[in-house]
């Protein structure tokens, strides 16, 4: 795999291969010594033009557990604030000898621009670009669902027939987009629920059904309920009247949480707005996979870095 830019262009076999390598990486995480020498001598740059907690630290942990050298770059505090362009930043990283660049950027398509440019040879991994995609989040979500459902027998399996309901600010969510493409290629049935103002135009062409009533959607007892953060920082207009109304109609509050089936799971990519899209009872319950998602993120990102860095020079992993 030369780059990982989106899940839309991942076929089912490649997606399952990444999840299976992540299973191997998860096994390594159970050992007393959690480090592998695999990427010794390689340099991974975390290039973050947008804030992050989970993605940045888990890419850093992943690279370190594979023995790569890691350079963390955040736009705040860098020469980007002096007006330096993406091209000059990329060329600087190339001069330093980056083998892989993990990039988060507010502009949709920025990772693609780097991958197609002649500015840098490194493998490019998209860590979230604007409202476009967040492929490693989709992969860690699929990994989490597959593990909860199939346990130790997860390797090689898809998500055939699993019903996933994604709820909330779909308009601004790259997590929703990456999940829709990936989960549907893995055979899951994806249903989207949002206020009409937060349902993207063109959603009709996505491989998902849609609705506008959360109670109706939960009454069908989906296997997975994935709550999305209300992305206030991307909202230039009022998309709903008040926070109270949002949580009343679209929040997974205690009443709705009680409607969920016994075996169902509650997901959230984080960071959570507790009390807005999700109640603390739901977020902290045994049905919640929030912290499992974070832990699995390290294994999935180890798999992605490994596959990108071994595919880089045409080697087969
Ligand atoms: N952390 C995820 C992202 O960066 C989800 C979110 O921020 O709501 O896309
Ligand atoms: N889920 C996620 O991407 O979290 P961060 O924005 O904290 O990285």
């Amino acid at each position: 795999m030369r780059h990982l830019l989106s899940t839309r262009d991942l076929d089912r076999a490649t997606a399952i291969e990444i999840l299976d390598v992540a299973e191997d990486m998860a096994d390594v995480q159970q050992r007393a010594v959690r480090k592998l020498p695999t990427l010794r001598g390689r340099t991974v740059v975390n290039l973050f033009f947008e804030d992050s907690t989970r993605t940045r630290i888990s890419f850093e942990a992943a690279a370190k557990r594979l023995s790569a050298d890691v350079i963390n770059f955040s736009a705040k505090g860098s020469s980007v604030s002096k007006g330096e362009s993406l091209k000059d930043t990329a060329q600087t990283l190339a001069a330093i000898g980056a083998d892989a660049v993990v990039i988060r950027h507010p502009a949709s398509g920025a990772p693609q621009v780097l991958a197609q440019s002649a500015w840098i040879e490194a493998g490019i991994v998209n860590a979230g670009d604007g409202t476009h995609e967040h492929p490693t989040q989709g992969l860690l979500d699929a990994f989490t669902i597959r593990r909860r459902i199939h346990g130790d027998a997860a390797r090689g399996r898809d998500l055939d027939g699993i019903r996933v309901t994604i709820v909330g600010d779909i308009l601004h969510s790259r997590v929703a987009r990456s999940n829709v493409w990936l989960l549907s290629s893995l055979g899951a049935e994806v249903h989207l629920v949002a206020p009409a103002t937060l349902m993207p135009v063109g959603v009709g062409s996505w491989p998902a059904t849609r609705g506008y009533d959360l109670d109706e959607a939960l009454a069908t007892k989906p296997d997975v309920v994935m709550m999305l953060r209300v992305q206030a920082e991307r909202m230039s207009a009022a998309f709903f009247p008040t926070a109270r109304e949002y949580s009343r109609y679209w929040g997974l509050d205690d009443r709705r949480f009680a409607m969920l089936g016994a075996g169902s799971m509650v997901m959230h990519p984080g960071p959570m707005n507790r009390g807005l899209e999700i109640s603390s009872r739901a977020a902290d319950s045994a049905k919640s996979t929030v912290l499992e998602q974070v832990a699995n993120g390290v294994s999935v990102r180890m798999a992605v870095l490994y596959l990108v860095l071994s595919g880089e020079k045409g080697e087969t992993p």
Side-chain angles (χ1 to χ4, degrees), residues 91-268:
Q91 286 179 329
T92 303
L93 301 180
I96 284 165
D99 296 301
V101 174
V102 175
I103 175 173
R104 170 169 288 192
H105 201 285
S108 300
Q112 183 108 19
V113 168
L114 272 194
Q116 286 171 351
S117 75
W119 309 331
I120 185 161
E121 276 289 293
I124 306 296
V125 179
N126 181 0
D129 61 330
T131 58
H132 174 230
E133 280 227 28
H134 190 355
T136 56
Q137 179 74 45
L139 285 160
L140 74 88
D141 289 339
F143 182 88
T144 303
I145 298 171
R146 194 175 80 150
R147 268 210 150 178
R148 273 244 174 162
I149 289 174
H150 299 299
D152 288 342
R155 274 189 182 75
R157 307 286 291 260
D158 57 22
L159 298 178
D160 215 16
I162 304 297
R163 292 181 308 122
V164 182
T165 295
I166 304 180
V167 186
D169 185 359
I170 293 164
L171 180 65
H172 300 107
S173 181
R174 50 199 181 201
V175 173
R177 285 167 180 78
S178 283
N179 268 297
V180 164
W181 299 113
L182 180 65
L183 296 177
S184 64
S185 342
L186 289 171
E189 293 166 24
V190 184
H191 184 61
L192 306 173
V193 182
T197 49
L198 291 174
M199 195 66 98
V201 178
V203 78
S205 63
W206 295 11
T209 52
R210 63 190 185 281
Y212 302 92
D213 187 318
L214 182 52
D215 288 319
E216 215 171 72
L218 296 183
T220 67
K221 306 272 181 224
D223 302 298
V224 179
V225 179
M226 184 183 293
M227 303 307 297
L228 299 173
R229 182 173 66 89
V230 173
Q231 302 206 13
E233 78 279 18
R234 296 192 207 277
M235 293 184 186
S236 49
F239 287 88
F240 49 85
T242 62
R244 202 159 148 185
E245 250 190 76
Y246 184 90
S247 92
R248 188 148 132 229
Y249 287 101
W250 311 107
L252 186 63
D253 57 14
D254 294 352
R255 177 185 66 81
R256 292 199 176 99
F257 176 63
M259 290 168 66
L260 302 183
S264 61
M265 61 189 99
V266 173
M267 307 187 80
H268 192 301

Side-chain angles (χ1 to χ4, degrees), residues 52-55 104 134 137 269-270:
S52 168
T53 296
R54 282 146 285 270
T55 310
R104 170 169 288 192
H134 190 355
Q137 179 74 45

